[in-house]
């Protein structure tokens, strides 16, 4: 662990929860991010384009099955969480881009497919030979997607015909495969299909004008009479309950990303305030600045405690909607505060991409909303506390 990591991880969460081999892999990832990727991200954010060099640098690291790391640990919620944390600490768009494959899409294949499908496709997902994205959210249905899913699928012989639209799908334009969730017209149940992005009837349009996660291009997807074979239907998804099981596994990654975002914002704030001179001394020597930095560290530390506890439970086989929702809700809220404090201590320079805090400040808004808004996660937690559902 580097000196900078030790200063931030005051309670030794990484050392307590990860093997030496896993920590070495993450240290190597951090070096790659700092050397090869971070210098590209200010311009990438300004241009709203994800550089090809990002995956070009990350894929060879084999972060889903890293050399020297035991397979069980490599597949653990804890390791994937610290991987998300390390990626997001450098840049949230980079973390979201990688996690779209390693988290969302891979989880869909592994736990939404039959054992035979998972065995066939998971190696291709790990190697990025099959690049995919998770397509659930729709133009008119986000928080109410469970009951409002409007994309439909009807079976015709050995094929399914899909009609509908998906929106806010990150990375779709660069994917090979779209994991599309649609409602079966016959039984009304949700099912999942692997759609080739080049299939007739598939139209993908990049959403422009975003002010958050700009390099991570999101897409609006239209599906008109798209035909998919039965063998490309994921046989483990046959109801909304199955989809909810996938989301439960994915939500912890978002909480880890929110925690990494805070660490990156704190890095930017410490770097700037120790170098910047005002009134004849470094900004970091002023009491009000130190109070804000201490509050930021408190947010990072408490968020790390929360997500490591969540992942430890999941790795022990304890999966809970309310625990995942609580972690996402709290860490995303803390991310908003921490990123705002980082922007604040940089003053006007906090608005410039060259000092890094601006990226985290803007990206905190996307993290606050995606994978379940604050309100939806609060209702999941509230239901567990009271036994009464407040969902409309």
């Amino acid at each position: 662990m580097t000196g900078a990591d030790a200063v931030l991880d005051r309670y030794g969460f990484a050392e307590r929860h990860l093997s030496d081999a896993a920590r070495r892999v993450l240290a190597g990832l951090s070096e790659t991010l700092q050397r090869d990727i971070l210098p590209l991200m200010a311009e990438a954010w300004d241009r709203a384009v994800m550089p090809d060099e990002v995956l070009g640098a990350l894929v060879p690291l084999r972060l889903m099955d890293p050399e020297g790391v035991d397979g069980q640990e490599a597949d653990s919620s804890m390791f994937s969480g610290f991987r998300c944390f390390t990626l997001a600490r450098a840049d949230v768009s980079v973390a979201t881009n990688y996690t779209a494959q390693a988290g969302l899409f891979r989880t869909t294949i592994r736990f939404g497919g039959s054992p035979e499908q998972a065995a066939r496709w998971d190696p291709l997902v790990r190697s990025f030979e099959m690049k995919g994205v998770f397509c659930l959210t729709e133009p008119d249905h986000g928080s109410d997607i469970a009951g409002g899913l409007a994309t439909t699928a009807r079976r015709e012989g050995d094929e399914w015909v899909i009609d509908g639209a998906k929106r806010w799908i990150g990375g779709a334009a660069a994917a090979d495969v779209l994991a599309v969730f649609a409602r079966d017209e016959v039984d009304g149940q949700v099912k999942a299909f692997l759609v080739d992005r080049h299939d007739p009837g598939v139209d993908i349009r990049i959403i422009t004008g975003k002010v958050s996660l700009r390099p991570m291009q999101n897409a609006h997807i239209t599906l008109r009479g798209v035909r998919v074979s039965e063998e490309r239907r994921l046989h483990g998804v046959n109801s909304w309950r199955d989809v909810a099981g996938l989301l439960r596994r994915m939500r912890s990654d978002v909480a880890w990303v929110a925690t990494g975002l805070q660490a990156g914002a704190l890095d930017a704030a410490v770097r700037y305030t120790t170098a910047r001179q005002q009134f004849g001394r470094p900004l970091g020597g002023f009491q009000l600045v130190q109070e804000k930095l201490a509050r930021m560290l408190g947010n990072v530390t408490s968020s790390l405690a929360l997500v490591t506890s969540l992942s430890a439970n999941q790795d022990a086989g304890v999966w809970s909607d309310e625990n995942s929702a609580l972690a996402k809700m709290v860490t995303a809220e803390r991310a908003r505060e921490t990123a705002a404090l980082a922007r604040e201590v940089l003053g006007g320079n906090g608005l410039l991409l060259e000092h890094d805090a601006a990226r985290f400040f803007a990206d905190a808004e996307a993290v606050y909303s995606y994978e379940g808004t604050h309100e939806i996660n609060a209702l999941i937690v509230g239901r567990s506390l009271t036994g009464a559902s407040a969902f409309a």
Side-chain angles (χ1 to χ4, degrees):
M1 189 175 260
T2 67
D5 289 334
V7 167
L8 188 147
D9 187 4
R10 296 296 178 94
Y11 288 75
F13 294 112
E15 187 172 1
R16 186 180 314 138
H17 290 288
L18 295 175
S19 67
D20 290 344
R23 295 202 305 276
R24 283 194 295 272
V25 168
L26 294 174
L29 169 60
S30 183
E31 290 175 7
T32 297
L33 289 164
Q34 293 298 319
R35 182 185 65 243
D36 301 329
I37 294 177
L38 195 53
L40 307 173
M41 296 317 297
E43 182 181 357
W45 207 96
D46 203 27
R47 294 177 55 224
V49 174
M50 182 65 69
D52 292 338
E53 293 89 341
V54 170
L55 284 183
L58 294 178
V59 171
L61 300 180
R62 290 178 44 194
L63 297 172
M64 285 181 264
D65 56 351
E67 186 176 356
V69 178
D70 174 80
Q72 183 175 354
E73 182 176 23
D75 278 341
S76 69
S77 175
M78 191 69 70
F79 179 77
S80 69
F82 272 104
R83 181 181 65 210
C84 289
F85 174 87
T86 304
L87 289 163
R89 186 176 179 179
D91 184 84
V92 183
S93 287
V94 170
T96 306
N97 189 35
Y98 191 86
T99 305
Q101 174 84 1
L104 298 174
F105 186 62
R106 189 181 182 209
T107 296
T108 303
I109 295 295
R110 294 181 70 200
F111 300 101
S114 67
E116 294 77 17
Q117 288 174 322
R120 185 193 330 159
W121 289 323
D122 186 53
L124 302 179
V125 176
R126 292 199 309 267
S127 67
F128 280 80
E129 291 177 67
M130 177 191 281
K131 289 174 61 179
V133 290
F134 180 85
C135 305
L136 178 61
T137 302
E138 298 183 346
D140 298 320
H141 300 286
S143 295
D144 70 341
I145 194 70
L149 188 73
T151 300
T152 61
R154 68 179 185 277
R155 187 161 183 175
E156 294 184 356
D158 291 332
E159 290 185 322
W160 292 81
V161 182
I162 302 175
D163 290 283
K166 300 294 178 180
R167 189 165 176 82
W168 293 112
I169 309 305
D176 305 311
V177 177
L178 314 174
V180 174
F181 293 83
R183 194 175 301 280
D184 188 338
E185 291 184 353
V186 173
D187 63 13
Q189 297 297 324
V190 179
K191 295 181 170 62
F193 306 85
L194 296 187
V195 176
D196 189 303
R197 61 157 299 182
H198 298 294
D199 279 346
V202 177
D203 181 67
I204 299 175
R205 304 289 175 92
I206 299 298
I207 298 171
T208 59
K210 285 197 308 172
V211 299
S212 186
L213 291 182
R214 285 174 54 78
M216 181 57 179
Q217 294 182 326
N218 294 82
H220 182 106
I221 303 172
T222 305
L223 305 123
R224 298 188 182 92
V226 178
R227 292 187 171 269
V228 183
S229 66
E230 166 63 14
E231 68 176 14
R232 300 273 283 187
R233 180 177 71 83
L234 293 175
H235 295 160
V237 178
N238 295 291
S239 68
W240 178 257
R241 183 182 295 273
D242 297 326
V243 180
L246 298 178
L247 294 173
R248 186 182 306 124
R249 292 176 178 274
M250 298 168 182
R251 195 168 282 125
S252 60
D253 282 349
V254 184
W256 278 97
V257 167
T259 305
L261 182 158
Q262 296 178 61
L266 178 55
D267 288 338
V270 171
R271 188 165 54 245
Y272 183 86
T273 57
T274 53
R276 174 77 166 177
Q277 297 277 330
Q278 290 288 279
F279 302 103
R281 56 177 170 150
L283 273 178
F286 289 91
Q287 291 180 346
L288 291 178
V289 171
Q290 290 192 0
E291 188 276 338
K292 292 179 174 62
L293 296 176
R295 204 183 331 160
M296 293 168 70
L297 178 60
N299 286 346
V300 176
T301 304
S302 59
S303 293
L304 268 172
L306 186 55
V307 292
T308 53
S309 295
L310 174 67
S311 285
N313 279 347
Q314 291 179 344
D315 289 335
V318 179
W319 295 86
S320 163
D321 285 334
E322 53 267 29
N323 288 351
S324 297
L326 180 65
K328 198 279 173 173
M329 180 187 78
V330 171
T331 57
E333 191 172 40
R334 294 286 76 77
R336 245 183 168 185
E337 179 185 38
T338 304
L341 288 169
R343 210 285 316 153
E344 184 177 332
V345 298
L346 269 69
N349 283 335
L351 302 175
L352 297 176
L353 291 171
E354 65 186 272
H355 299 294
D356 295 330
R359 285 186 292 111
F360 294 109
F361 177 67
D363 290 346
E365 292 304 301
V367 174
Y368 186 72
S369 294
Y370 71 26
E371 297 298 324
T373 64
H374 176 86
E375 291 78 10
I376 291 297
N377 283 307
L379 292 182
I380 294 172
V381 175
R383 182 178 59 194
S384 74
L385 288 170
T386 65
S389 176
F391 286 94

